[in-house]
Amino acid sequence: MKKAIYMLVFVLLSIGAHAGLFDRIKSEIKLKEEEKPIFENVTLYIDGKEVQEKVLPGEYTLYLFELDYPNDLYKKMDFLRDFSEFLDYTKKNNKKYSVLLTKEMFSDFIEIESGNTLKSEAVIKEPASSLTYEQTELLKNLSREIKVKEYMDTDQEKLNRQIYVLYRILEKKGYIESNVYTELDKENLIEELNESRKRLVDRYKVTPVEYFYKEDYKDIDLKDFSDEVMYKFEKDIALSTKIEDQALFPDISLTLYITNFDSRVIEELAQKQIKLKRRILLLDNRLYHGYTYNEENTVIFMNGKQPLYYFPDYQIDIKLVKTDVKKLRNYDMKYNINDFFY
């Protein structure tokens, strides 16, 4: 009888040991599954058809394009037309590009999306009679090709100059210096301008192009907060050694590319000593190139000397390329950055 009891105890202990071993194996399998790259497959377009391609171990270079965005108003108009044509091309041919928006370019795109004229066009939007001396001089500089002798030093001269600038922006013909243009004429031209730009917004939103926002670390006002709730309403990035110690970045919905990043913070990120409240962040630095993960966050290091890859078999780097919008088509891109990091 005792022998039977001992045998039963031995069987139960064996089952328990095996169950414990099985649980550990399951745990290890689960851990490995969690550590699998999120970029198992990427979507490609081949002959106009959408296909899935498996991401095999190896070296990958992704490209982030920073476009030459001019300050001159008329050159901006040329840029917007060229960019609109480029977006048409990407949509028609399913071409992927990752484009970096500078502060000024981003600001102008927001104005266009909102149906407004650009800030640099304020001088043509204001009533001619209310222009300041500085605005009048700026307007004269924009319309220096014309004289408007008939209305010299009058509000009509200013209005005619505004009309001329609008004609030139819209690439319209038929402007006559001696005409008595009205504020209503100007309103109609501004409406025509805004309508033409709405088409750019439509293209901007529905192409395979993805956008990133450029910010300089030196321009970021980092502050520490003890109240974790504060950042939820104003900012959406937080660096932290402790949950209660927050340092915040600008509130921009696009993925951020931050230049001149602090080397101390870079090192802490690489060593996983701090956490981020941002899903993806591209960091210009001198220390590392590659990527790492911290819980739900992806940190991509750019331009540094030392490689750092969270998955050593997947050596993925992002290269910044500065180029003219007209030359973008020369780069035949296979992947977007967000094919791998999202």
Side-chain angles (χ1 to χ4, degrees):
M1 184 66 178
K2 285 183 179 180
K3 189 175 181 180
I5 292 173
Y6 288 146
M7 287 297 293
L8 178 61
V9 171
F10 176 76
V11 169
L12 290 174
L13 287 173
S14 298
I15 292 172
H18 283 294
L21 178 62
F22 182 65
D23 288 340
R24 284 200 302 274
I25 292 171
K26 278 202 306 181
S27 178
E28 289 176 7
I29 291 173
K30 185 173 185 295
L31 180 62
K32 288 181 179 179
E33 284 179 347
E34 290 174 351
E35 287 294 289
K36 287 173 64 177
I38 60 173
F39 41 80
E40 290 185 75
N41 297 288
V42 296
T43 301
L44 301 178
Y45 295 96
I46 299 176
D47 296 329
K49 296 180 180 179
E50 189 176 294
V51 297
Q52 294 292 313
E53 179 184 271
K54 185 174 179 60
V55 179
L56 299 174
E59 296 181 4
Y60 295 86
T61 300
L62 312 178
Y63 293 89
L64 178 61
F65 295 97
E66 182 175 358
L67 304 179
D68 261 339
Y69 192 63
N71 293 317
D72 178 85
L73 177 59
Y74 297 126
K75 289 181 180 178
K76 276 188 181 182
M77 299 307 105
D78 293 336
F79 176 93
L80 292 174
R81 278 188 286 270
D82 291 337
F83 192 66
S84 183
E85 290 175 6
F86 166 72
L87 293 179
D88 281 343
Y89 162 77
T90 61
K91 184 179 179 182
K92 181 179 179 181
N93 298 282
N94 291 310
K95 294 293 184 180
K96 295 184 174 185
Y97 290 86
S98 301
V99 172
L100 182 62
L101 304 180
T102 59
K103 282 186 178 181
E104 187 172 4
M105 189 175 175
F106 178 72
S107 175
D108 285 349
F109 272 45
I110 293 297
E111 292 297 329
I112 292 171
E113 191 172 2
S114 302
N116 302 322
T117 51
L118 307 184
K119 290 179 180 178
S120 53
E121 295 169 334
V123 70
I124 60 174
K125 190 176 180 181
E126 293 292 322
S129 59
S130 67
L131 291 178
T132 64
Y133 173 79
E134 290 76 13
Q135 288 175 319
T136 301
E137 291 303 302
L138 175 58
L139 178 61
K140 287 180 178 179
N141 185 54
L142 288 171
S143 57
R144 55 183 174 273
E145 295 85 357
I146 61 172
K147 302 298 181 183
V148 200
K149 295 179 180 179
E150 290 88 345
Y151 313 110
M152 190 71 71
D153 298 326
T154 66
D155 289 341
Q156 188 64 53
E157 178 197 354
K158 299 175 189 177
L159 182 55
N160 278 26
R161 288 184 179 279
Q162 289 176 320
I163 296 291
Y164 169 81
V165 174
L166 282 163
Y167 264 71
R168 185 169 170 185
I169 289 173
L170 287 164
E171 296 186 309
K172 290 175 68 72
K173 296 180 179 179
Y175 174 81
I176 302 173
E177 281 188 32
S178 59
N179 272 10
V180 180
Y181 291 105
T182 67
E183 288 288 347
L184 180 59
D185 292 327
K186 187 175 74 177
E187 287 178 20
N188 290 336
L189 288 170
I190 290 175
E191 184 176 349
E192 184 179 340
L193 177 62
N194 290 340
E195 282 296 321
S196 69
R197 287 179 180 163
K198 284 180 183 178
R199 293 192 287 274
L200 172 60
V201 174
D202 291 339
R203 296 181 181 96
Y204 170 71
K205 291 181 177 180
V206 294
T207 68
V209 177
E210 63 181 13
Y211 301 96
F212 297 78
Y213 176 75
K214 184 178 182 179
E215 179 65 89
D216 194 310
Y217 186 85
K218 296 175 183 177
D219 296 334
I220 298 171
D221 184 18
L222 291 176
K223 297 179 180 178
D224 292 329
F225 293 98
S226 59
D227 184 356
E228 187 185 3
V229 176
M230 292 182 69
Y231 74 83
K232 293 181 181 177
F233 299 99
E234 299 178 10
K235 315 281 185 177
D236 66 350
I237 302 182
L239 297 174
S240 173
T241 50
K242 300 177 182 177
I243 293 178
E244 62 270 20
D245 296 332
Q246 305 292 339
L248 309 178
F249 284 122
D251 180 15
I252 298 291
S253 59
L254 299 175
T255 301
L256 287 177
Y257 170 73
I258 302 184
T259 59
N260 300 309
F261 210 82
D262 184 274
S263 59
R264 176 186 57 83
V265 181
I266 289 289
E267 193 62 62
E268 291 177 340
L269 284 168
Q271 301 302 324
K272 301 185 183 300
Q273 295 172 350
I274 56 180
K275 297 180 181 180
L276 299 172
K277 291 289 184 181
R278 188 86 175 199
R279 181 66 189 89
I280 301 175
L281 197 60
L282 279 62
L283 305 180
D284 168 52
N285 74 106
R286 296 181 179 181
L287 297 178
Y288 298 102
H289 63 87
Y291 63 97
T292 190
Y293 296 105
N294 189 342
E295 296 180 1
E296 294 300 316
N297 311 117
T298 302
V299 181
I300 300 170
F301 302 105
M302 293 177 60
N303 309 320
K305 295 181 179 179
Q306 184 176 338
L308 178 64
Y309 305 112
Y310 189 84
F311 297 106
D313 292 339
Y314 296 85
Q315 299 179 18
I316 305 170
D317 285 295
I318 298 176
K319 182 178 180 181
L320 182 68
V321 177
K322 296 184 179 182
T323 187
D324 184 89
V325 64
K326 291 182 178 179
K327 297 179 181 178
L328 264 179
R329 297 188 195 186
N330 297 341
Y331 298 89
D332 189 15
M333 295 295 96
K334 187 176 182 181
Y335 307 113
N336 273 346
I337 293 173
N338 282 333
D339 284 334
F340 293 80
F341 305 107
Y342 49 87

